Amino acid sequence: MRGGLLAESKSDNGVSTFSAEMLTRGAGSLDREQLARQVETMAGELGGFSGRNSLGVSGSFLSASFDEGVDLFLDVLLRPNFPEDEIEKTRHELLQGIDN
């Protein structure tokens, strides 16, 4: 979807990167650990990304887990829950990365 650096201004610089990171920190009724466990159980990958002009989610799952993988993908894309504790952790991690 439209996002990334080209969609940001000085006042909200970094919001796309933050949002992309938060997408897999909880979705639907799943918290970060439950989501990660389900993806791992399916031998899959699921993550948010942000670039110059886009923001999105990418996923890869074994064909045997296709339906369940698509359900998780859609939860992350359409129902992220941005848990309060994960917001602070992510903010801290991103700021730490800037300092280094």
Side-chain angles (χ1 to χ4, degrees), residues 24-95:
T24 55
R25 302 282 176 128
S29 63
L30 303 175
D31 65 22
R32 179 184 185 174
E33 288 181 21
Q34 293 167 325
L35 183 61
R37 201 172 305 119
Q38 282 198 9
V39 171
E40 186 177 318
T41 299
M42 295 183 287
E45 294 179 19
L46 187 61
F49 66 86
S50 175
R52 288 190 171 272
N53 58 8
S54 63
L55 167 69
V57 180
S58 64
S60 174
F61 301 95
L62 297 175
S63 60
S65 303
F66 180 77
D67 290 339
E68 189 179 1
V70 168
D71 288 343
L72 281 178
F73 180 89
L74 290 173
D75 266 353
V76 166
L77 182 63
L78 301 174
R79 299 183 334 139
N81 57 28
F82 287 59
E84 198 68 38
D85 61 329
E86 293 295 336
I87 288 173
E88 191 53 38
K89 285 179 195 174
T90 302
R91 185 182 77 76
H92 179 73
E93 290 168 5
L94 291 173
L95 289 174

